[in-house]
Amino acid sequence: MVCCGLVTAKNEPVPLKSIEVEVEVRDHVATVVSNLNYENKEDKPVEAVFVFPLPGNAAVCHFSAKIGGKHIVAEVKEKQQAREEYDDALSSGHQAFLLEESDQSPDIFTLSVGSLAPGESAAIRLEYVTELAVEADDGLRFCLPAVLNPRYCPQGSESTSVQVTPVAASLVPYTLSFCARVSSPRPVSKVESNCSLEPLQYLNTEQNQATVKLAAGHKFDRDVELLIYYKDAHQPTAVVEAGQATAKAGTLMGDPAVMLSLYPEFPQTVISSLASCGEFVFLLDRSGSMDCPTSNSKHQETRIGSARDTLLLLLKSLPMGCYFNIYSFGSTFEHIFPKSVEYSEGTLEEALKKVQAMDADLGGTEIFQPLKHIYSQTCIPNQPRQLFVFTDGEVCNTKEVLDLVKKNSGSHRCFSFGIGEGASSALINGLAKEGRGHAQFVTGTDRMQPKVMQSLRFALQPAVQDISVSWHLPKGVSANVVSTPLTSIFQGQRSLIYAQLIGQSSEAAEGSVTVKYSLAGHPTENQLKFSLKPAKDTGLTVHRLAAQTLIRALEAEQREESGQPEEGLKKKVIELSVQSGVSSSFTAFIAVNKDINEPIKGPLTRRNVPIPAFAMMPMMYMSCSVPKMRSCRSAPCPPAAAYYSPMAASSVCFDAADESLEAAKMYLAPSSRVEKSIAKPLRDPLLELVSLQKASGCWMLDAALATALGKPSKELKKKKPSAVNNDVWATILALIWLHGSKMEAKDEWELLALKAASWLRAQNAPSVVECVEAGNTLLGFSVQKDALGL
């Protein structure tokens, strides 16, 4: 009685033949169409059940099936009603299809394909629209989720134990084809991916339309990720979309809708003056799965190792005068200091020693309690709290965690980082959204450090206050904003606003939106003018994204009022979901085929999909906690190990969460001992140098610095100009080395270099020009004094 994730050692067949995915990217929005082709090669009727991930902000808007030449389009109905119709259809011997969102997390879906007769084929079509996130290098990130990692259930939650058997990715019996078409008002510069792609094909001379395909032989070991780069990406845009012809006027679907994409530009004086205060709280996941590699490439460091290196950079880059603390969590949580302490040489050294000793040894992924403890700590006056969360795991109580962050959003900004394949987009994006911060994902061979340092720059920007949005529209036209109010704005980062346009206007009319806010005490505003003429061929994308945005807001409001009369809000969500055809936590897609010559007879055999094992993990049996997702037919759902995705396929990575995983540890012990016996690779020279910097920003002239710079200690001392003290000389040498040999990683060390330059200026040291010349001669570079900030 298992929903999915189980395959027997006899390799029982799973009726999935192939997956075909077509993606239409328009500027920063993607429409994804997945076709799943099934065939029952057994001599008995089967029911196939799949649990899979989707982006947390996806608006699922179409679900249909083709069987025997008949096309059945699913309807959106209240969830319990849809489940009952599905069960009634199966018990009557009919074919039925059910697609429903998890009650616990909006990025997990269950697809049930019921009553496939022997020898019968079925084609399932699933469509969703989603916004693309902006990366640190201005690329737009599209991710086709393929990996669903364990959803750890905290102690005391309802769970069921199931046996899960992962299989090697090479044994997966289905194929994936993937094609993306990209179009934008601006030229497409390039498209990159963590997977092998065929060459980019431009479709016109303007190069603003292109197609790209996944190369054959996808290994099913990672999410399929595209990074799309446009020229002049930071241009504000507005898309007006006509209403649905069949929808009632005055409703969200019946009226025109507009999507505004804003890129606020801050005054240069504000950008250049980073804050020198703040309370920085770092929350690090130390669950068992953080010991997995960050990718499947050889010699890749572990997630916990990458996180430790990143914390080193973060701590060295903090400004003097701020406060900080470091929490780590698994099944329990720890903190380095009882409460946040002032940043000094002593507290920094104490923190770094403990960070270096941190390992992935705290069990499961219980993030709720450490967050609750952090929020219980009194905020420090005039030290704005900035929370950085690093996790690779998923929790089955995602909505509970996000509600906690939202409840405390007035006291902090939250910057979240999803590490490794399969990090929950609902959790990572939700933490940042509810915490008025910014989210980043670190997958494949990505370096975590530049992404995290970008977020630190955001955290050091002054908080934007008193945000207001005003609309200037033709007479008789008004805007009903369905997005949640803007609560955070960062330099160069996109802000999206969805609105329903009520009233009539000519297509030649224009409107504008003005965003006003206070930044470091200075009133600032940005304006966007746009035409009210509807765009062509948008396919109701804007309306569906607007509906999904409103649905999520109403669901969150409903949870806030839990325990009080809440049927009104739930009813609103269901009505909007049904009207817009967009899924919600209270609805499901249901399709029933009663037009078959003869109802299928005999008991159904449930077939579940094989799980491709994460490349670094040996096959093993394990027992996992299972969140209950289906109340019908007493079927527990889904097992807390990685599952198959109908968009691609899942890999597996395990949290040492339960006692059963202790047995798994014992099983893995021999190979672990072999791994630990292998000599560790030498430390990154950049991190080696950074580790020697003091809290104030300076370096010491000692043997460790000489080693990091690759020079004999005696030579460093011999070449020092006589009028300069040791620390000034050492700091100038370190800065020259950074500028001379690590410019490609400037994003990672720029903030700590600014701190070093500030320290040097405060010393009023003589002979700085002579020092720079001597340092260049010694190290073999030609870095100018001005480049060092001196």
Side-chain angles (χ1 to χ4, degrees):
M1 298 285 287
V2 185
C3 267
C4 74
L6 179 67
V7 62
T8 69
K10 297 179 182 178
N11 196 27
E12 290 177 329
V14 176
L16 178 63
K17 292 177 62 181
S18 63
I19 309 152
E20 300 163 1
V21 179
E22 296 180 357
V23 182
E24 179 81 21
V25 177
R26 290 179 179 269
D27 211 6
H28 57 264
V29 172
T31 301
V32 183
V33 177
S34 295
N35 291 289
L36 298 88
N37 302 303
Y38 305 102
E39 182 180 0
N40 181 11
K41 294 183 179 181
E42 300 189 54
D43 57 1
K44 49 198 170 190
V46 300
E47 178 191 21
V49 181
F50 305 92
V51 175
F52 59 91
L54 287 180
N57 62 350
V60 180
C61 53
H62 178 87
F63 177 51
S64 61
K66 275 188 179 180
I67 295 184
K70 184 175 178 60
H71 187 214
I72 314 162
V73 178
E75 299 177 73
V76 178
K77 296 186 178 182
E78 190 275 327
K79 184 178 283 187
Q80 191 56 40
Q81 179 187 349
R83 288 171 172 172
E84 290 173 0
E85 287 189 20
Y86 179 81
D87 288 334
D88 288 346
L90 295 194
S91 62
S92 301
H94 296 296
Q95 292 169 327
F97 307 86
L98 181 70
L99 178 69
E100 57 181 314
E101 177 187 310
S102 164
D103 293 330
Q104 288 82 20
S105 184
D107 63 345
I108 301 179
F109 281 74
T110 299
L111 169 60
S112 301
V113 180
S115 295
L116 272 183
E120 189 168 43
S121 297
I124 303 295
R125 179 185 173 96
L126 173 66
E127 182 177 335
Y128 66 86
V129 291
T130 184
E131 304 160 357
L132 305 188
V134 181
E135 292 290 281
D137 61 357
D138 297 336
L140 291 173
R141 179 179 184 265
F142 167 80
C143 182
L144 184 74
V147 178
L148 181 54
N149 285 335
R151 294 291 163 116
Y152 178 82
C153 287
Q155 298 278 336
S157 64
E158 294 184 10
S159 63
T160 303
S161 183
V162 296
Q163 292 293 317
V164 178
T165 310
V167 299
S170 59
L171 299 180
V172 173
Y174 35 82
T175 60
L176 170 69
S177 66
F178 174 93
C179 177
R181 179 187 173 108
V182 182
S183 59
S184 171
R186 299 172 295 282
V188 180
S189 300
K190 59 181 177 178
V191 177
E192 297 178 347
S193 178
N194 62 333
C195 302
S196 297
L197 299 176
E198 293 183 4
L200 183 70
Q201 300 288 329
Y202 288 106
L203 302 179
N204 57 8
T205 54
E206 293 82 8
Q207 296 191 343
N208 60 3
Q209 295 183 23
T211 61
V212 65
K213 295 181 180 180
L214 188 67
H218 181 66
K219 298 299 183 183
F220 292 106
D221 57 355
R222 69 198 71 181
D223 295 340
V224 178
E225 184 179 276
L226 297 182
L227 289 174
I228 301 165
Y229 296 86
Y230 300 128
K231 292 180 181 177
D232 303 319
H234 282 197
Q235 296 297 315
T237 58
V239 178
V240 177
E241 184 177 78
Q244 192 173 22
T246 57
K248 183 180 178 181
T251 64
L252 175 60
M253 298 305 293
D255 287 338
V258 61
M259 174 177 62
L260 304 177
S261 178
L262 306 176
Y263 287 91
E265 292 294 328
F266 293 175
Q268 189 61 39
T269 53
V270 175
I271 302 171
S272 59
S273 60
L274 297 175
S276 59
C277 61
E279 179 194 8
F280 297 87
V281 181
F282 305 104
L283 179 58
L284 175 63
D285 185 347
R286 288 173 57 190
S287 62
S289 57
M290 286 290 285
D291 206 30
C292 289
T294 54
S295 81
N296 287 322
S297 61
K298 292 182 179 179
H299 310 302
Q300 187 71 19
E301 68 176 328
T302 61
R303 297 167 184 175
I304 190 70
S306 182
R308 282 195 301 261
D309 290 344
T310 301
L311 271 177
L312 167 67
L313 273 174
L314 279 168
L315 291 172
K316 293 291 186 177
S317 301
L318 292 180
M320 294 293 286
C322 74
Y323 286 73
F324 78 104
N325 201 354
I326 300 171
Y327 286 72
S328 57
F329 70 95
S331 300
T332 59
F333 70 90
E334 302 173 356
H335 42 74
I336 290 182
F337 305 107
K339 61 180 181 179
S340 294
V341 296
E342 189 170 357
Y343 182 76
S344 67
E345 190 59 43
T347 55
L348 174 62
E349 287 301 317
E350 182 178 352
L352 285 175
K353 286 179 182 177
K354 293 182 178 178
V355 166
Q356 288 307 310
M358 288 181 176
D359 213 339
D361 55 4
L362 290 186
T365 314
E366 296 198 28
I367 193 173
F368 185 86
Q369 290 303 324
L371 282 173
K372 189 175 180 181
H373 185 272
I374 290 169
Y375 294 142
S376 72
Q377 302 295 300
T378 304
C379 290
I380 303 170
N382 302 316
Q383 301 285 347
R385 179 174 288 169
Q386 317 284 354
L387 175 63
F388 286 69
V389 180
F390 302 86
T391 180
D392 75 333
E394 293 80 5
V395 293
C396 68
N397 59 340
T398 300
K399 292 179 180 178
E400 182 184 21
V401 171
L402 299 185
D403 288 344
L404 176 67
V405 176
K406 182 178 181 180
K407 182 179 178 182
N408 293 275
S409 61
S411 67
H412 76 302
R413 291 193 288 191
C414 182
F415 300 88
S416 53
F417 305 89
I419 307 171
E421 307 293 345
S424 167
S425 60
L427 178 66
I428 303 305
N429 287 325
L431 287 170
K433 180 181 178 182
E434 302 299 352
R436 304 178 301 125
H438 187 251
Q440 302 265 25
F441 289 86
V442 184
T443 59
T445 57
D446 288 349
R447 281 180 63 82
M448 188 188 307
Q449 290 84 351
K451 296 190 176 190
V452 174
M453 297 311 292
Q454 183 202 37
S455 292
L456 179 58
R457 289 185 186 86
F458 288 159
L460 291 170
Q461 287 179 12
V464 172
Q465 298 175 321
D466 304 325
I467 302 173
S468 66
V469 179
S470 56
W471 296 74
H472 310 281
L473 299 170
K475 187 176 181 180
V477 179
S478 61
N480 176 28
V481 178
V482 299
S483 307
T484 53
L486 287 180
T487 57
S488 62
I489 297 176
F490 297 108
Q491 162 65 23
Q493 282 301 295
R494 185 187 64 210
S495 298
L496 288 174
I497 298 177
Y498 296 97
Q500 173 186 354
L501 297 178
I502 303 170
Q504 298 292 324
S505 68
S506 68
E507 289 193 350
E510 289 192 343
S512 67
V513 167
T514 304
V515 180
K516 296 182 179 180
Y517 47 90
S518 175
L519 184 64
H522 302 288
T524 307
E525 67 176 58
N526 298 111
Q527 187 180 62
L528 171 64
K529 295 181 179 180
F530 60 94
S531 168
L532 293 181
K533 183 179 180 180
K536 294 181 180 179
D537 304 324
T538 55
L540 291 175
T541 299
V542 173
H543 281 80
R544 285 164 174 163
L545 286 171
Q548 194 261 0
T549 300
L550 184 54
I551 283 170
R552 295 301 180 216
L554 290 171
E555 287 174 340
E557 189 179 345
Q558 185 265 344
R559 292 196 302 274
E560 284 179 9
E561 297 185 8
S562 182
Q564 302 176 18
E566 56 193 39
E567 287 304 312
L569 284 171
K570 181 177 179 180
K571 185 179 178 182
K572 280 185 181 179
V573 171
I574 293 172
E575 287 178 353
L576 180 56
S577 178
V578 172
Q579 289 170 6
S580 63
V582 172
S583 67
S584 74
S585 61
F586 301 131
T587 55
F589 283 91
I590 175 69
V592 177
N593 179 18
K594 297 181 180 179
D595 299 336
I596 51 179
N597 295 329
E598 184 178 346
I600 296 170
K601 298 178 181 179
L604 289 180
T605 300
R606 180 167 292 209
R607 285 288 177 247
N608 303 287
V609 186
I611 302 170
F614 193 70
M616 302 298 181
M617 299 290 288
M619 290 170 58
M620 64 182 181
Y621 288 85
M622 61 179 292
S623 178
C624 299
S625 295
V626 183
K628 288 188 177 179
M629 196 160 84
R630 289 284 305 279
S631 59
C632 54
R633 290 176 285 122
S634 304
C637 191
Y643 310 121
Y644 159 77
S645 162
M647 308 309 120
S650 70
S651 57
V652 74
C653 207
F654 303 106
D655 264 339
D658 310 305
E659 292 105 355
S660 57
L661 291 194
E662 292 304 317
K665 279 185 175 179
M666 292 175 65
Y667 180 94
L668 289 171
S671 60
S672 297
R673 285 196 295 270
V674 172
E675 289 172 9
K676 292 182 185 298
S677 68
I678 300 173
K680 291 184 177 180
L682 294 175
R683 192 176 194 181
D684 184 334
L686 171 60
L687 295 175
E688 192 63 48
L689 182 69
V690 168
S691 69
L692 301 175
Q693 188 185 31
K694 300 298 180 182
S696 62
C698 72
W699 274 266
M700 307 292 287
L701 189 63
D702 54 22
L705 177 66
T707 300
L709 296 177
K711 297 291 180 181
S713 185
K714 290 182 179 179
E715 190 174 354
L716 257 62
K717 294 177 180 178
K718 182 179 177 181
K719 298 294 184 181
K720 179 183 75 70
S722 58
V724 178
N725 70 38
N726 288 348
D727 295 351
V728 169
W729 172 238
T731 304
I732 289 176
L733 285 177
L735 286 178
I736 290 173
W737 187 89
L738 288 172
H739 282 83
S741 64
K742 290 294 177 181
M743 280 302 290
E744 78 282 357
K746 187 178 180 181
D747 287 347
E748 301 180 32
W749 53 259
E750 186 174 25
L751 289 178
L752 59 89
L754 287 173
K755 186 163 67 168
S758 177
W759 179 86
L760 282 169
R761 289 194 299 271
Q763 306 309 304
N764 290 318
S767 307
V768 170
V769 173
E770 183 184 355
C771 268
V772 173
E773 291 176 354
N776 276 317
T777 301
L778 173 65
L779 299 178
F781 299 120
S782 55
V783 179
Q784 299 298 310
K785 178 173 74 75
D786 291 346
L788 301 178
L790 304 179

